[in-house]
Amino acid sequence: MSILGFKEGEVIPDHILTKMKPEDRPKGKIGMTTEEATAKAEVQKERELHRMISDYIGMRGVQWIIHQPMNKRSQLAPGTPDFLFCYRGQAVAIEAKTATGKLSDEQKEATNKMYMDGWFCRVAHSIGDVKEELDAIDKRIELMRKLK
């Protein structure tokens, strides 16, 4: 079977796809431009990062997490980080981003204000970033205990 003269499994070039209405394109990956396929893959990566961060925070003993799911419109103020929680008495805000993800101006403003109010704020591109932030809190608490 062929689609627009292209055999099944062949990639339809972007210059053809961009001239077509989205509803007229073939379903699935074959009907996506490179840019659309890349954007979809980035969203999937960020969703997976959200899941991993949520699981990791729970493993560190955090029971109460405010998490903004990616598939729903947020009820929180624009720019609010993806994860808000308390870890060992410290307020923590984590914004999950893929390697190519960038903070919006609203996100920069929100995290800067939160930081100035004493929150630990971090943009996490991986679980390692979250681990580093929570480990830094652990070290700070241990140092404060030794100074008492």
Side-chain angles (χ1 to χ4, degrees), residues 62-80:
V62 176
Q63 295 180 12
W64 305 103
I65 303 167
I66 297 172
H67 174 227
Q68 296 191 77
M70 294 178 60
N71 61 341
K72 295 183 181 176
R73 185 158 177 81
S74 175
Q75 300 298 310
L76 302 174
T80 301

Side-chain angles (χ1 to χ4, degrees), residues 44-58 67 70 83 96 127:
Q44 289 172 337
K45 285 179 189 175
E46 191 165 328
R47 272 198 184 106
E48 178 63 12
L49 181 58
H50 274 243
R51 185 193 62 74
M52 291 168 46
I53 290 171
S54 185
D55 290 349
Y56 182 75
I57 293 169
H67 174 227
M70 294 178 60
F83 295 89
I127 289 298

Side-chain angles (χ1 to χ4, degrees), residues 9-147:
E10 278 189 308
V11 176
I12 300 174
D14 282 358
H15 72 277
I16 293 174
L17 289 171
T18 55
K19 290 180 175 59
M20 298 171 70
K21 293 179 185 174
E23 60 269 15
D24 293 338
R25 294 184 194 169
K27 302 290 183 225
K29 291 181 185 178
I30 194 167
M32 286 189 217
T33 64
T34 304
E35 184 178 323
E36 292 165 344
T38 301
K40 184 177 179 179
E42 285 296 307
V43 168
Q44 289 172 337
K45 285 179 189 175
E46 191 165 328
R47 272 198 184 106
E48 178 63 12
L49 181 58
H50 274 243
R51 185 193 62 74
M52 291 168 46
I53 290 171
S54 185
D55 290 349
Y56 182 75
I57 293 169
M59 287 179 5
R60 291 288 289 250
V62 176
Q63 295 180 12
W64 305 103
I65 303 167
I66 297 172
H67 174 227
Q68 296 191 77
M70 294 178 60
N71 61 341
K72 295 183 181 176
R73 185 158 177 81
S74 175
Q75 300 298 310
L76 302 174
T80 301
D82 297 321
F83 295 89
L84 305 173
F85 58 95
C86 186
Y87 178 71
R88 299 188 70 185
Q90 305 298 306
V92 182
I94 304 286
E95 177 63 37
K97 292 289 181 194
T98 61
T100 58
K102 304 248 188 282
L103 290 177
S104 69
D105 289 340
E106 290 172 328
Q107 290 170 326
K108 289 176 186 175
E109 184 178 339
T111 53
N112 284 337
K113 285 180 180 178
M114 293 173 84
Y115 178 78
M116 296 305 290
D117 285 340
W119 285 71
F120 284 82
C121 298
R122 181 75 179 248
V123 176
H125 297 284
S126 69
I127 289 298
D129 293 336
V130 178
K131 181 182 182 317
E132 281 179 12
E133 194 66 31
L134 299 185
D135 287 350
I137 292 170
D138 288 339
K139 286 178 186 174
R140 180 175 180 226
I141 289 170
E142 292 306 315
L143 180 61
M144 291 171 70
R145 282 187 182 154
K146 287 179 183 177
L147 293 175

